[in-house]
Amino acid sequence: MEVSEMARRKKITKKKLKEPDEFISLTAKAYLFITRYLKQLATGGIILLVLILAFLFLQRWEKGNELDADQKFSLAVQLYQKITSPYREGTPAEYKSLLEGFSEVVSRFPRTSPGKLSLLYRGDIHLRLGEFEAAIKEYQAFLQKAGNVRLYRLLAMEGMGYAYEGMKDYEKALHAYQKIVEMGESFESADAHLNMGRYYERMGENKEALENYRAFLKISEKSPVANAVLRKISLLEK
């Protein structure tokens, strides 16, 4: 009887001891895993922290850059508006000086919105100075960086058309004006139709010239040049 009782107690004791053994084993494995990979985990955490801080610093730096670019760009635009007003035309020296102002914004803040828009203004200045190849390069550079802002893209395409006309490359000028019409903005496509009408008239293609002059009047019948366009239509219809 006593032997039997002792055997039963021994079995219970072994069973109870088995569970703590497993717990200790798992704890030991966890400890070994942590100690083995603690350095890697700490290193990964530091790298992540550095990346986050670098990102925040870059954001702050870009914001500061944007503000500086805005200030310099605004000053250049004010001067541009002054020397291109309807009441006076700037001198070549004034345009050259203005070109330097926009060039500074481009070189110092190329990734900012003012830096990209300055390319468009530089193209316009070169166009006004009769530097057509330089104007085309500026417009092309702007179109590569401008994104999908339709108004600015339209202005760049129009400027390219005028520059190609200045170089007497009328086929490329026509292509630029056609691109404007395809973009579907009526306030810009009116001038594009007018320019295409001039091109076709120059080439002796009266039918196409008439089509574009009529398209211009349909969009912009109250334009200051509407009467002149009507006279052109009357002459071409004869």
Side-chain angles (χ1 to χ4, degrees):
M1 183 83 176
E2 289 180 3
V3 173
S4 174
E5 182 66 23
M6 286 178 65
R8 189 173 65 81
R9 285 179 181 177
K10 285 180 181 179
K11 288 179 182 179
I12 292 170
T13 303
K14 286 180 180 179
K15 186 177 180 182
K16 286 183 177 180
L17 285 173
K18 188 176 180 181
E19 292 178 358
D21 282 347
E22 290 178 355
F23 174 76
I24 291 168
S25 176
L26 288 171
T27 304
K29 287 178 181 178
Y31 175 77
L32 287 171
F33 176 84
I34 291 170
T35 54
R36 182 179 298 175
Y37 294 103
L38 181 61
K39 187 175 180 181
Q40 290 91 324
L41 290 170
T43 303
I46 291 169
I47 291 171
L48 180 61
L49 179 62
V50 169
L51 289 173
I52 291 170
L53 290 174
F55 175 74
L56 292 173
F57 175 79
L58 181 62
Q59 275 194 325
R60 186 172 181 179
W61 179 78
E62 286 188 341
K63 186 177 180 180
N65 257 11
E66 192 82 28
L67 290 173
D68 290 343
D70 278 336
Q71 290 176 353
K72 292 189 176 298
F73 179 72
S74 295
L75 290 173
V77 170
Q78 286 174 18
L79 181 57
Y80 173 87
Q81 291 172 341
K82 181 179 177 181
I83 67 176
T84 60
S85 72
Y87 307 105
R88 69 181 292 262
E89 178 62 27
T91 66
E94 286 177 317
Y95 280 123
K96 290 290 185 182
S97 176
L98 182 57
L99 195 59
E100 290 176 3
F102 284 116
S103 294
E104 182 185 1
V105 180
V106 172
S107 61
R108 289 187 59 190
F109 313 104
R111 297 177 57 186
T112 63
S113 296
K116 295 171 185 176
L117 277 174
S118 291
L119 293 169
L120 184 61
Y121 279 92
R122 287 203 312 192
D124 185 64
I125 294 168
H126 283 302
L127 184 64
R128 289 173 181 271
L129 290 171
E131 300 168 352
F132 302 123
E133 288 188 15
I136 289 167
K137 287 180 181 178
E138 296 290 352
Y139 290 133
Q140 288 174 338
F142 172 77
L143 288 170
Q144 288 175 356
K145 299 179 180 182
N148 296 318
V149 182
R150 293 174 66 86
L151 173 60
Y152 297 140
R153 296 185 72 84
L154 287 164
L155 292 173
M157 291 302 301
E158 185 178 50
M160 285 180 66
Y162 290 135
Y164 280 125
E165 280 198 69
M167 295 173 64
K168 301 190 185 306
D169 193 338
Y170 299 117
E171 287 292 332
K172 288 184 178 179
L174 177 65
H175 179 71
Y177 298 139
Q178 287 172 334
K179 284 283 186 183
I180 295 172
V181 172
E182 288 170 8
M183 291 176 74
E185 296 289 347
S186 60
F187 65 93
E188 282 296 327
S189 63
D191 286 342
H193 279 298
L194 181 61
N195 293 327
M196 289 166 66
R198 287 191 298 101
Y199 165 81
Y200 285 120
E201 185 181 3
R202 182 183 293 113
M203 301 302 291
E205 300 177 32
N206 292 349
K207 179 183 176 183
E208 289 78 5
L210 284 167
E211 287 175 357
N212 280 281
Y213 284 143
R214 286 169 180 152
F216 167 79
L217 289 174
K218 185 176 180 181
I219 298 169
S220 192
E221 61 182 347
K222 294 183 180 180
S223 168
V225 299
N227 288 332
V229 174
L230 283 169
R231 286 195 294 271
K232 278 182 175 290
I233 290 173
S234 298
L235 290 171
L236 291 171
E237 285 177 336
K238 290 180 180 179

